[in-house]
Amino acid sequence: MPRAADYNPYHGFGGEPDQDVAGHFEAIFPEPLIAWAQEYAPVRNLSGLAADQLAVSVQQKKARGGIRHRGL
């Protein structure tokens, strides 16, 4: 996962994975996460979906056999 040197979650993971740092928002927002994930598999942003839409999307993907875990 990309890490943001400026701790900005719009640029990558904005923090330290193993500690809580005051003043840093320890997260990664969808856009940089998706850009990184697309290097490994086809992905799309589901962050704006309502809960019922998200469930439908996941079920459709399962029905097509599209959800696979790849050990890294």
Side-chain angles (χ1 to χ4, degrees):
M1 177 179 317
R3 303 229 358 236
D6 61 356
Y7 299 102
N8 185 329
Y10 286 104
H11 301 152
F13 183 75
E16 300 297 329
D18 60 342
Q19 58 186 340
D20 185 17
V21 179
H24 295 165
F25 188 66
E26 297 173 10
I28 185 170
F29 289 157
E31 294 81 10
L33 180 61
I34 289 167
W36 170 74
Q38 286 176 335
E39 296 178 21
Y40 303 96
V43 297
R44 65 186 183 115
N45 187 347
L46 302 176
S47 64
L49 295 180
D52 60 329
Q53 294 171 312
L54 181 58
V56 168
S57 181
V58 169
Q59 289 304 320
Q60 288 172 343
K61 195 72 172 172
K62 283 183 179 179
R64 290 194 306 261
I67 296 178
R68 291 181 291 278
H69 172 71
R70 187 178 116 185
L72 298 176

